[in-house]
Amino acid sequence: MEEKVYKSYAFLEQLEAWLLSLGLSETSAHHSKVLISILGIVVLAVVANFIAKKIIVAILTMIVKRTKNTWDDYLIKRKVFHKLSHLAPALVIQFTIGIALYEYSPNFSFVIERLTYVYIVVVWLLVINSLLNALHDIYLTFEMSKNRNIKGYIQLIKIIVFAIGAILIISILINKSPAKLLVGMGASAAIMTLVFKDTILGLVASIQASANNMVNPGDWIEMPARNADGSVLEITLNTVKVQNWDNTITTFPTYALVSESFINWKGMQESAGRRIKRTIFVDVRSVQFASVELLEKLKQIQILKPYLEEKIKEIKEYNEKIGAETDMPVNGRRLTNIGVFRKYLELYLADNPNVSKEATSMVRHLQPTEKGIPLEVYCFSSEKAWVKYEEVQADIFDHIFAIIPQFELRIFQSVSGNDLAKV
């Protein structure tokens, strides 16, 4: 290396001697030598930049596109090689500027070298940043990325890298050792902690959320305190973005995921179905023992007929066994219209293809109120998407409201002006 530098110096001295032989003054020859050297460096830097970008990067891009692997495509997408090519002209200037200006202006040469070093550090920061983005893109292609979000870790690495880069740049500009600069920054650690409080809290929250698999991009979460109810778009060190169902975007600090409560509907989305839990109120005055005529009419309902025939036979045998006088309704056992209706709903839900057969399904009475007898339908829709789920739920209750008069039952409804007008 020293031999090459010596030869370069010798070449420049020969160049100056040649210029003197042309009749130039010593000052003019010296300035001309420096100017020619600088122009030569500029030409070399342009040539190096052209070779790096137009030839080397183009060849690498062509090779990547022809490979069967997909991971290397992300290196091209994030322009890792393109940003790395910016080092070529900087390296030319770094190794030649000191030689060109060794006698002319040592201070100017020092400044150019310092700025070149800063430029090289900045380029490496951009390269590492693009490389980390590419690695994150590659990670997202794996199945495990759906359950483990690492964007917070990527951002943490970026913060560390850029912090180191900033220290190097400052140390280059002030011509001090980075180690001494770090020692001097120790006193300001408390202030830095306050400045980056949200980032530190976000880092802790990101680690806890990822380790416990609390939430990932794409999950449907509900956080009333933050007016968030929708799909998670992004989780970073500082913020979480949620696209609500009205297409608005809610943003809140990442540490809110561990400091506040929220509902993650991911369990529902991965389960056998989405729960339907809705109550209708049956008018108490319409509840009665099922008459023979009503039972005969209800036997025409296909899914109910086998149950009624078996149940009527069972009740008849029981009443005969105990000698019940069936002329009085209170004696013996009898079917009620609400009991038959409840059984019909159970059979209807079991026969409905949109109701999950793997999850709990039932129709039950709740505590009677002043509005009547609450009859709760509890089941799970096999359709979990919001629109489809609402359609399934609406179809079930449309059918209930339409069929209930066939059982001589009435739905409770508060008195309205139209009801009073009929009186």
Side-chain angles (χ1 to χ4, degrees):
M1 183 67 183
E2 292 180 356
E3 183 179 353
K4 291 181 179 180
V5 173
Y6 175 77
K7 289 181 178 180
S8 299
Y9 287 153
F11 172 77
L12 292 177
E13 289 176 354
Q14 292 174 2
L15 175 62
E16 185 176 1
W18 178 74
L19 291 172
L20 289 171
S21 68
L22 294 177
L24 296 177
S25 64
E26 184 175 342
T27 302
S28 298
H30 184 68
H31 289 167
S32 298
K33 178 192 70 172
V34 173
L35 181 61
I36 293 172
S37 300
I38 293 175
L39 289 175
I41 292 172
V42 171
V43 171
L44 285 175
V46 171
V47 171
N49 184 66
F50 178 83
I51 293 173
K53 285 186 171 61
K54 302 298 182 181
I55 299 178
I56 298 177
V57 173
I59 292 173
L60 288 174
T61 302
M62 189 183 303
I63 294 173
V64 167
K65 289 182 177 179
R66 291 184 177 181
T67 59
K68 296 181 180 179
N69 299 320
T70 57
W71 60 267
D72 49 6
D73 295 335
Y74 293 103
L75 298 177
I76 300 299
K77 178 183 175 182
R78 292 295 184 174
K79 297 183 178 181
V80 175
F81 300 128
H82 179 78
K83 292 177 180 177
L84 192 60
S85 67
H86 290 300
L87 288 173
L91 293 175
V92 170
I93 295 173
Q94 177 189 350
F95 289 114
T96 58
I97 195 66
I99 298 174
L101 301 176
Y102 77 102
E103 287 182 345
Y104 181 73
S105 177
N107 291 333
F108 183 64
S109 175
F110 176 79
V111 171
I112 296 297
E113 287 180 350
R114 294 288 110 182
L115 293 177
T116 303
Y117 292 148
V118 170
Y119 176 80
I120 291 173
V121 172
V122 171
V123 170
W124 273 114
L125 290 177
L126 294 176
V127 170
I128 295 173
N129 181 70
S130 296
L131 182 60
L132 289 173
N133 289 333
L135 292 175
H136 184 244
D137 291 340
I138 295 170
Y139 173 76
L140 292 177
T141 62
F142 294 102
E143 188 68 23
M144 70 176 70
S145 65
K146 297 179 180 179
N147 298 320
R148 287 288 183 271
N149 177 42
I150 65 167
K151 188 165 186 177
Y153 300 111
I154 295 294
Q155 289 184 319
L156 174 62
I157 295 174
K158 286 182 181 181
I159 290 174
I160 295 173
V161 169
F162 277 94
I164 294 173
I167 293 172
L168 289 175
I169 290 173
I170 295 172
S171 65
I172 291 170
L173 293 176
I174 64 177
N175 197 24
K176 296 290 183 179
S177 169
K180 292 181 179 179
L181 192 61
L182 283 173
V183 172
M185 291 178 62
S188 60
I191 299 175
M192 297 292 287
T193 302
L194 291 175
V195 172
F196 294 102
K197 181 190 71 172
D198 289 344
T199 301
I200 295 171
L201 291 175
L203 170 62
V204 175
S206 296
I207 294 174
Q208 289 181 330
S210 177
N212 298 319
N213 196 22
M214 294 169 60
V215 62
N216 290 290
D219 289 357
W220 169 17
I221 69 168
E222 186 177 347
M223 185 180 283
R226 300 285 178 172
N227 294 321
D229 183 11
S231 179
V232 178
L233 294 179
E234 187 179 52
I235 303 175
T236 66
L237 274 182
N238 296 318
T239 59
V240 178
K241 288 184 180 179
V242 177
Q243 183 171 23
N244 300 314
W245 300 123
D246 58 359
N247 289 329
T248 59
I249 304 294
T250 297
T251 303
F252 55 86
T254 306
Y255 59 79
L257 292 175
V258 294
S259 63
E260 300 175 15
S261 61
F262 67 95
I263 299 173
N264 191 337
W265 292 87
K266 182 179 180 180
M268 176 275 295
Q269 293 172 330
E270 295 178 348
S271 66
R274 185 172 176 179
R275 189 180 70 174
I276 296 175
K277 183 182 179 184
R278 186 174 288 184
T279 301
I280 60 171
F281 288 88
V282 177
D283 192 334
V284 177
R285 292 170 295 182
S286 65
V287 176
Q288 57 187 335
F289 289 115
S291 64
V292 175
E293 293 77 11
L294 175 61
L295 293 176
E296 288 300 321
K297 182 180 74 170
L298 295 179
K299 282 183 182 180
Q300 298 177 29
I301 302 175
Q302 292 181 352
I303 61 174
L304 194 57
K305 183 178 179 180
Y307 166 77
L308 286 177
E309 289 179 345
E310 181 180 351
K311 203 67 178 177
I312 290 172
K313 180 181 178 182
E314 176 188 330
I315 290 174
K316 182 179 179 181
E317 292 176 353
Y318 176 80
N319 289 337
E320 290 176 353
K321 182 178 179 180
I322 65 173
E325 296 181 3
T326 55
D327 292 337
M328 175 60 71
V330 75
N331 295 329
R333 291 172 56 188
R334 290 179 183 272
L335 290 171
T336 62
N337 58 350
I338 192 172
V340 176
F341 177 64
R342 182 169 52 82
K343 186 62 181 181
Y344 166 76
L345 290 183
E346 293 176 358
L347 296 172
Y348 170 76
L349 294 175
D351 190 57
N352 192 322
N354 293 318
V355 175
S356 174
K357 306 302 182 292
E358 301 175 12
T360 303
S361 178
M362 65 177 174
V363 181
R364 61 174 182 166
H365 288 299
L366 299 180
Q367 179 71 27
T369 69
E370 69 278 3
K371 295 181 179 180
I373 302 174
L375 198 63
E376 183 182 80
V377 175
Y378 187 99
C379 61
F380 287 80
S381 166
S382 55
E383 295 286 352
K384 290 173 279 188
W386 188 15
V387 175
K388 292 291 185 181
Y389 161 79
E390 293 293 348
E391 288 178 358
V392 171
Q393 183 171 235
D395 287 343
I396 291 174
F397 283 88
D398 287 348
H399 181 78
I400 291 175
F401 295 141
I403 197 68
I404 197 169
Q406 300 298 323
F407 294 82
E408 298 180 358
L409 292 168
R410 293 190 303 272
I411 299 292
F412 175 85
Q413 181 173 292
S414 298
V415 177
S416 66
N418 288 333
D419 297 320
L420 296 175
K422 295 177 182 179
V423 178

